[in-house]
Amino acid sequence: MRAALVTEPGRLEVVDLPDPTPRPGDLLLKVASAGICGTDLHILHGGFAQSLPLVPGHEFAGEVVAVGSEVTGFRVGDRVTADPNMPCGHCPYCRVGRGNLCDDFQALGVSEAGAMAEYVRVPAPLAVKLPEHLALEDAALVEPLSCAIHAFDVLSLRLGARVLIYGAGTMGLMLLQLAKQAGATSVHLVDLNPDRLATVDLLGATGAAASAEEFDRPQGWDVVIDATGNPRAIADALGRVSKGGTYLQFGVPPEDARVEFDPFRVYKHEISILGSMAVLHSFERAADLFATGLIPPEIFISHRFPLEQAPEAMALFAAGHGRKVLVQPGA
């Protein structure tokens, strides 16, 4: 099969690899699309992945073309997406239902071969069937949506909250849609990219600007979410939380990033600081919610590349252009 392969830090090549063979408990999928996200950039530059070379791609959907001998409930021709995460199931965090914090966290496209290829092997318990009315190529959006849903599980957003989101990429836009769905009174977004700000307007945000200063809200916001991972944005965001408010770190910063904050203000104003990491009991809900049309693909997906152009797709995403960038092996 043809596959995009991170051969060494900073190098992505499209190469020939042996077709994967399903184990007894696996499905083999013909990949319709694989989305690119910030985690893939970390992997490309030597982070996250336990070893290279590695086929990236943890956001994907495809058609079942082979079924392992022990698999029930799936058959050839099923249209599926899959939760890429594979917690160990027996560490202290897994035993209390916190698999996303697993001591031996594994994931397709991170520690095992992912879906930026013609075929991907998936443990059957991770797969979720998709309804016929969805375009299979668009369903790579389910995985990032499941991450955004987990963020709102962490937040426990109150009705009537005022929300500020840093970053108007795919994740910031998904958080916008969920905040509106969850009953926020207002949702403002901050991004330096004017093209992304124009997309925010299409989705009906309360306001979108290059700086939170433009919103003239000195008292701050009840909930402030960083979806950039940028330390400068994070430092600014922490200062925008209102008294009694909540800050959520959703974006993935560099592992060595450091940000100064005012601990006395956190104490005096009873500010909560939370983190949201990956997916936790939210993947099937994401598939169901995606099927309702809450996340319109024509707005969220800006670029589609054939597999042979995966390096160009990664470079485009790294440059900050567009929204969700897909690699479509069947294109």
Side-chain angles (χ1 to χ4, degrees), residues 31 101 124 154 194 235 261 324:
V31 179
L101 305 181
V154 171
F261 71 100
K324 179 55 64 181

Side-chain angles (χ1 to χ4, degrees), residues 1 14 29 31 39 81 87 92 94 158 192 230:
M1 70 174 182
V14 181
L29 305 187
V31 179
T39 297
T81 181
C94 286
R158 293 183 301 170
L192 298 177
N230 183 294

Side-chain angles (χ1 to χ4, degrees), residues 169-194:
T170 302
M171 299 314 310
L173 297 177
M174 286 186 173
L175 293 166
L176 161 65
Q177 292 295 81
L178 292 178
K180 293 179 348 186
Q181 191 86 350
T185 298
S186 64
V187 188
H188 293 85
L189 277 87
V190 173
D191 199 294
L192 298 177
N193 186 324

